[in-house]
Amino acid sequence: MFRAEQSASSSSRRPGSRSRTRIPWHRDEETPAAVLAPSVLAAVGGLVTMWPFTSVIEPGSWSFAVVSAVTLIPLAGLVMRVLLRYRPAWLRDVGTLLVQLFVAMALVTHVTAGDTAFFGVVPSPATLSTFGALTGAAWQEVAVGSAPLAASHGLAATMALGFALVAVLLDQLATARAAILPILLVGLVGSIPMIITLGDANVVWFVLFALFVLAQLRYATRTDPRTPRRTSASVGVGIGAAAIATTLVVVPGLPLAAGLTGTGTGITVDASLRLGDDLRQPNPVEVLTVATAGGSAPYLRLTTLSDFDGEVWQPDRGGLQSQADGFGDPEWGADVEVTEATTSIRILRMSSSWLPVPYPATDIQGVPRAWRVMPDNRTLVSRNADAVGADYTVSSVRVNPTLEQIRAVDAAAPNISDDDADVEIPEIVGELAREVTGAEVTDYDRLLALQDWFRSEFTYSLDTPVEEDFDGTGADAVARFLDVRSGYCVHFAGAFALMAESLGMETRIVVGYLPGSLTGEKRGDESIYSVTSDRLHSWPEVLFPGIGWVPFEPTASLGVPTDFRAAVTGSTSSDNTPSDAPESTAPQAEQTTAPEVDREDAGDNSSSSTELRTVDPTPVLFVVLGAIVVLLLPALIRTVVRARRRDRARDGDAGAAWTEVRSTLIDLGIPPSDAESPRVRAAGLIRERGVDAAAMERLADAVERATYARSGADAPDLASDLRTVLRDLRRSVDAPSRTRALLVPRSLFAAPGIDTLTAT
């Protein structure tokens, strides 16, 4: 008597008794809920998800915030599951979720605006308002910024919130033993940087993702009572090798293009002179609006740079004080005429730790206390606030010395301390400065001579510095610029400042914005001006005691040069300024336009601000299809195996047909008992699953003939019967089971059973 028949007989002799035969491949009971594994998988999944973002966002506070989120939240889940392990399951699950949400809220609050929150972790209305402004800023940075984005406060807050939610979801899904959803979550979120920027494929991430997929599937299948206790090592290694090989070979060859938002105009401004990439962006966007009652819009400054080490200009970092303490004592004397002005500024799409203000500012209204005043340059800076979304009003003055007054004052000598290192400046800088200014008597006239020389002898170009390999701010770049005589504002300002300093004058460079363009809109008596991202600018200033820092405009074709009038004219306006517009020490007469820049990708209608950009969808499709192929790799392998077995069944191979029936049972979550003979198992499937009786019996007969009959007998075509049986088996289960069988075929990981004959 066969073993299966003995088992059946034993069962028949003990009515109502349950068989004690152990199914060798199947779990007798559900594995107890794991405690450590879900948290580890969630933390690993979070770190894998974070990896692609490190290539599109510069390291900064966001990195610490994200790492904290993806580690602390799973850790909180681990602690709660341990503490509540003897409590009811519903209480353990709900308590863990609530604690994780609280940890996420506390972390995001602390990163966003801890100084406005209760105890630094519980959000207040001010915290929510700040968070709204920061997320808006982050969205604008991503929408129109260029990778790598600067690590702004807005990005830190947004990334902390996003990855906190990802960490909570990953931990909860891992605890629930879900297999596909965590993989989809990590794959979709992790692929966002590559889809948005359309940069090079991140091969390292694809490898890490493939390993995470294998680990997630391994954990999910090991803890599922319907899956095998033993797995086929060869199949597992084969699938892993195929996935990683696909990553290393196929992904790098995807035809990814540069475009979309990854090449948009940058609107994140830092305290440096690295403006070239921003100015070369093809499609400028409106970054702020200015409302003023003056005859023209003022220059707006963000910060100043005074310390030059031979390679870069370092931003000024003087003492800070609260807004209540004001902007400091005036640098101009009582005999110098000043005109008061009020300017309202609304930041739309500029992310920065500095607020743009006219110079010299005397008061500000409408910004939080987090913004601190730097009296040395009359600017505002914050360590934890972002400029985007700000709407404020600045009181300032326009300093209007007469020509006689400024000619009568010598520029201040360079402020050199004993701690300053010696900086080697190319000789051409001093030689040209003395040559250009040799005929002038006063410092002011020398500076005007330099300004006129730059504006008449040089040309404005964003491309020449790149083509001639001097697109920098160092002394060697300045020397090369003076030789080539073509560059953009950074080179003009840097060369002017070094040449003025070689003449014994104290100088500094300002980073800010040129005056905006008049929009035609009005707000009461104030005119509205629009400032776009391509108005980002830098210019030099020279200190005149009793007058203050006097700006100059050496950049060819930009702005209006400084030129004070003699007192006898009754006006201190520039020759190029409307007679009703008072002149200030800023080079700011009538509104000017930026020089024409060849934007090859803008087409003939590049001047139209409403034209929609067309984007080649092919790279996005390739990325999406590649991700789908990786996720569907087990299903593809299973399809190939099934097709091979059907071909063999068509030739009469009963072993291949029965093995496919058994594999389909495993995929659908139906226990395929190895203790039963094919005949007994066929009868059970007909009775319990409604399988077509004739087709099922013909398959069972074929298996018995192949097992016991003499070889050489004609083998019938079993493909049609196999197709019918498989169709009925799929119909016998619900849709989720069929979906799982398609996407995660468990039979690929199951060890061969004793009833698979020799054909597997």
Side-chain angles (χ1 to χ4, degrees):
M1 181 179 291
F2 296 111
R3 181 179 61 185
E5 295 172 351
Q6 292 173 345
S7 177
S9 299
S10 300
S11 298
S12 63
R13 287 193 297 267
R14 295 190 299 273
S17 64
R18 299 181 63 181
S19 175
R20 298 296 180 182
T21 303
R22 179 182 176 88
I23 302 175
W25 74 272
H26 195 265
R27 299 181 188 277
D28 292 331
E29 58 185 10
E30 183 174 345
T31 303
V35 176
L36 178 62
S39 299
V40 173
L41 276 175
V44 171
L47 293 174
V48 172
T49 308
M50 170 191 172
W51 181 268
F53 290 86
T54 60
S55 62
V56 296
I57 306 177
E58 294 179 352
S61 57
W62 77 273
S63 308
F64 175 78
V66 170
V67 172
S68 299
V70 300
T71 54
L72 292 181
I73 291 175
L75 179 61
L78 172 63
V79 172
M80 290 302 299
R81 281 189 287 270
V82 171
L83 294 178
L84 301 177
R85 62 186 181 277
Y86 299 121
R87 301 295 181 181
W90 70 267
L91 178 61
R92 181 176 62 248
D93 295 340
V94 173
T96 300
L97 177 60
L98 292 178
V99 169
Q100 288 181 319
L101 291 176
F102 176 80
V103 172
M105 178 192 68
L107 177 64
V108 174
T109 300
H110 185 73
V111 171
T112 302
D115 54 344
T116 65
F118 302 113
F119 308 107
V121 294
V122 179
S124 66
T127 306
L128 298 178
S129 177
T130 302
F131 182 77
L134 290 175
T135 52
W139 170 252
Q140 291 298 332
E141 291 178 55
V142 174
V144 298
S146 55
L149 299 174
S152 67
H153 195 55
L155 283 175
T158 305
M159 294 290 287
L161 174 63
F163 275 88
L165 296 177
V166 168
V168 172
L169 289 174
L170 286 176
D171 187 83
Q172 292 295 319
L173 291 172
T175 304
R177 299 176 180 177
I180 298 301
L181 291 180
I183 294 173
L184 290 176
L185 181 62
V186 173
L188 292 176
V189 177
S191 62
I192 288 176
M194 288 171 283
I195 294 176
I196 290 182
T197 63
L198 298 182
D200 294 334
N202 196 322
V203 178
V204 175
W205 177 76
F206 274 99
V207 174
L208 295 176
F209 179 58
L211 296 176
F212 171 76
V213 169
L214 294 178
Q216 182 68 44
L217 291 176
R218 175 68 174 175
Y219 169 73
T221 54
R222 287 188 64 182
T223 55
D224 193 318
R226 297 169 298 178
T227 55
R229 287 185 296 108
R230 300 191 306 270
T231 60
S232 173
S234 59
V235 173
V237 172
I239 292 177
I244 295 176
T246 301
T247 297
L248 295 176
V249 177
V250 177
V251 173
L254 295 178
L256 301 178
L260 201 59
T261 57
T263 59
T265 303
I267 46 87
T268 299
V269 181
D270 58 13
S272 72
L273 291 180
R274 295 180 300 174
L275 310 183
D277 291 339
D278 295 313
L279 295 173
R280 278 187 286 268
Q281 297 299 336
N283 297 298
V285 296
E286 186 180 39
V287 294
L288 57 92
T289 59
V290 175
T292 182
S296 60
Y299 276 59
L300 299 177
R301 68 179 52 212
L302 291 163
T303 188
T304 58
L305 305 93
S306 302
D307 185 16
F308 182 64
D309 62 6
E311 293 295 332
V312 295
W313 289 84
Q314 300 294 340
D316 293 328
R317 305 190 182 278
L320 301 178
Q321 61 189 35
S322 68
Q323 298 174 37
D325 295 331
F327 285 79
D329 298 330
E331 297 90 6
W332 53 94
D335 58 335
V336 177
E337 179 185 350
V338 296
T339 303
E340 294 184 354
T342 300
T343 306
S344 297
I345 302 171
R346 177 176 295 174
I347 310 298
L348 303 176
R349 300 179 183 88
M350 187 204 72
S351 176
S352 176
S353 298
W354 285 263
L355 278 181
V357 294
Y359 180 81
T362 57
D363 189 30
I364 188 169
Q365 301 291 333
V367 295
R369 290 176 298 176
W371 291 98
R372 310 272 289 174
V373 174
M374 186 180 295
D376 291 345
N377 57 11
R378 295 180 176 267
T379 60
L380 287 101
V381 63
S382 177
R383 293 187 175 90
N384 55 15
D386 196 284
V388 71
D391 192 346
Y392 52 97
T393 300
V394 182
S395 298
S396 60
V397 297
R398 292 175 178 174
V399 183
N400 306 312
T402 64
L403 181 60
E404 291 81 7
Q405 285 177 320
I406 197 168
R407 278 179 170 172
V409 179
D410 291 333
N415 185 14
I416 302 176
S417 65
D418 296 336
D419 297 333
D420 292 339
D422 293 335
V423 178
E424 294 185 5
I425 303 298
E427 295 181 358
I428 188 176
V429 174
E431 292 174 355
L432 284 176
R434 290 186 292 272
E435 177 183 333
V436 172
T437 64
E440 308 301 334
V441 177
T442 68
D443 284 347
Y444 175 69
D445 288 326
R446 294 187 183 96
L447 294 170
L448 286 187
L450 282 178
Q451 178 180 258
D452 294 342
W453 179 67
F454 278 113
R455 296 183 67 87
S456 61
E457 300 294 332
F458 287 67
T459 60
Y460 186 97
S461 174
L462 292 171
D463 299 324
T464 299
V466 177
E467 296 169 355
E468 299 293 335
D469 195 24
F470 65 91
D471 192 17
T473 61
D476 293 337
V478 170
R480 182 65 176 152
F481 165 70
L482 292 175
D483 180 47
V484 176
R485 300 197 175 189
S486 181
Y488 53 92
C489 60
V490 169
H491 305 97
F492 284 94
F496 186 101
L498 291 182
M499 293 176 75
E501 191 172 77
S502 72
L503 297 175
M505 306 180 196
E506 184 174 354
T507 64
R508 69 185 182 189
I509 295 178
V510 185
V511 174
Y513 283 96
L514 286 164
S517 301
L518 188 63
T519 63
E521 300 178 7
K522 287 280 190 178
R523 190 170 68 180
D525 295 334
E526 297 179 331
S527 299
I528 307 297
Y529 297 83
S530 173
V531 180
T532 53
S533 54
D534 60 349
R535 311 291 287 178
L536 192 61
H537 190 49
S538 63
W539 63 92
E541 291 183 329
V542 179
L543 179 60
F544 283 82
I547 296 177
W549 287 93
V550 178
F552 291 85
E553 183 57 278
T555 304
S557 75
L558 276 183
V560 174
T562 297
D563 187 11
F564 297 106
R565 284 188 172 186
V568 295
T569 63
S571 172
T572 56
S573 298
S574 168
D575 293 338
N576 296 321
T577 307
S579 59
D580 60 344
E583 174 64 68
S584 75
T585 57
Q588 66 150 57
E590 59 191 2
Q591 56 179 320
T592 62
T593 58
E596 294 297 326
V597 180
D598 182 17
R599 308 186 190 281
E600 297 178 356
D601 61 343
D604 295 335
N605 298 322
S606 61
S607 61
S608 174
S609 61
T610 60
E611 180 184 5
L612 297 177
R613 298 176 60 193
T614 58
V615 180
D616 181 11
T618 304
V620 177
L621 294 177
F622 272 102
V623 172
V624 173
L625 290 176
I628 292 175
V629 168
V630 172
L631 292 175
L632 295 182
L633 189 60
L636 295 175
I637 295 176
R638 181 70 177 90
T639 301
V640 172
V641 172
R642 184 185 299 110
R644 290 181 55 193
R645 289 171 179 166
R646 283 178 176 173
D647 289 340
R648 294 165 65 180
R650 187 172 291 105
D651 296 333
D653 190 335
W658 192 254
T659 300
E660 179 57 32
V661 172
R662 181 181 183 276
S663 297
T664 301
L665 292 175
I666 296 175
D667 293 341
L668 296 173
I670 303 173
S673 175
D674 290 338
E676 296 175 337
S677 67
R679 178 68 59 183
V680 173
R681 189 62 182 131
L685 293 177
I686 295 172
R687 181 177 62 257
E688 298 170 3
R689 298 291 170 177
V691 176
D692 183 271
M696 190 73 254
E697 289 175 355
R698 283 193 291 270
L699 285 181
D701 291 341
V703 172
E704 290 179 344
R705 285 196 301 271
T707 305
Y708 306 112
R710 295 179 180 179
S711 59
D714 293 336
D717 182 357
L718 301 175
S720 177
D721 292 334
L722 177 61
R723 187 180 302 105
T724 300
V725 170
L726 297 183
R727 179 201 63 200
D728 293 343
L729 286 176
R730 294 190 187 94
R731 290 178 176 176
S732 69
V733 298
D734 54 17
S737 297
R738 291 195 295 270
T739 302
R740 285 192 297 269
L742 174 65
L743 299 177
V744 189
R746 299 183 181 94
S747 61
L748 292 178
F749 304 94
I754 60 174
D755 57 355
T756 57
L757 305 180
T758 59
T760 58

